[in-house]
Amino acid sequence: MAAWARGSTNWWSPHPVELDPMYARYRSRLSRANLARYLATQPALDARVFAGGAGACLSFRNTNIGTYPMHAGYTPESQECRSCLLQDTAHALKWNGFSGVLVYWLACFAAAGWPIARSVPGGRRRAFGLVGLALIGCTVVQYTTAVYGEGDEVTKHLSPALFAAALAPVWLVAGAFQQRRARPVVVAPRRASSLLWRTTASLR
């Protein structure tokens, strides 16, 4: 099981674990609980698996499955492109690997935290910041669960994370253009009573 875990294979690999002659013997032991206990004792492997998900995430979609039927007249494994801008951007950033993904996450968290900390409750700037924070938070959660919990279709299940990550800066930029709401002025009780006395005296 340890050798299989280190092998980083999946169903689409040239030699998947499921076709290993010894797989039937150890299949009952390959439970999520056993794998979780094993990974808990292998921090280096945990980090490698987590960082390795960046390649699948920035791939955007599987390249070994085509969109069209076999006799549709297209080149085998041809794919229809409906989100070309996002797909091309993800492919262009693929050379950065996990370091680029991590920097992007941290930048979005910082950009979302700034309007939340600097705006008043109920303001639009804070609302946009909270939405951006929720989007990038969903991205990290989806990335983590897909990388550690999905062994066959990691790329497909990372697409929602990529869409959420793409929407986060849109909300954050839109929030930056919202008019800043002034903080309410709180008047001290003694000063308020003095101001009331002066106003009353001037009206006499």
Side-chain angles (χ1 to χ4, degrees), residues 35-168:
L35 289 174
R37 282 192 290 267
Y38 173 75
L39 290 174
T41 63
Q42 304 289 329
L45 179 60
D46 292 345
R48 196 184 78 179
V49 171
F50 191 75
C57 181
L58 297 177
S59 295
F60 189 74
R61 62 192 299 184
N62 292 319
T63 57
N64 58 336
I65 301 177
T67 304
Y68 308 99
M70 184 181 300
H71 302 291
Y74 293 90
T75 305
E77 299 184 0
S78 295
Q79 294 182 336
E80 181 183 10
C81 183
R82 297 185 179 183
S83 304
C84 298
L85 178 60
L86 180 57
Q87 177 176 307
D88 293 343
T89 303
H91 289 173
L93 297 175
K94 197 172 182 179
W95 66 273
N96 287 313
F98 180 71
S99 59
V101 173
L102 182 60
V103 169
Y104 183 84
W105 289 351
L106 294 176
C108 287
F109 275 122
W114 178 259
I116 294 174
R118 303 289 295 179
S119 60
V120 297
R124 287 190 175 183
R125 291 170 64 89
R126 175 167 292 193
F128 276 89
L130 289 172
V131 173
L133 184 64
L135 286 170
I136 200 64
C138 290
T139 299
V140 177
V141 171
Q142 179 67 15
Y143 181 94
T144 304
T145 54
V147 168
Y148 285 116
E150 177 55 60
D152 294 334
E153 300 286 356
V154 181
T155 301
K156 182 177 71 175
H157 289 108
L158 283 175
S159 294
L162 201 57
F163 276 108
L167 289 174

Side-chain angles (χ1 to χ4, degrees), residues 1 3-24 26-27 30 152:
M1 184 169 65
W4 288 339
R6 293 191 184 95
S8 301
T9 63
N10 56 52
W11 181 252
W12 307 108
S13 301
H15 304 287
V17 170
E18 289 81 357
L19 298 182
D20 192 297
M22 299 184 66
Y23 178 73
Y26 294 98
R27 182 177 181 179
L30 293 175
D152 294 334

Side-chain angles (χ1 to χ4, degrees), residues 168-204:
V170 176
W171 280 87
L172 295 174
V173 171
F177 287 96
Q178 299 300 313
Q179 185 176 3
R180 179 173 295 181
R181 188 174 174 182
R183 293 181 178 272
V185 179
V186 180
V187 182
R190 181 178 298 178
R191 184 178 178 184
S193 60
S194 176
L195 181 62
L196 178 62
W197 181 84
R198 292 179 183 177
T199 305
T200 306
S202 63
L203 294 176
R204 292 177 181 175

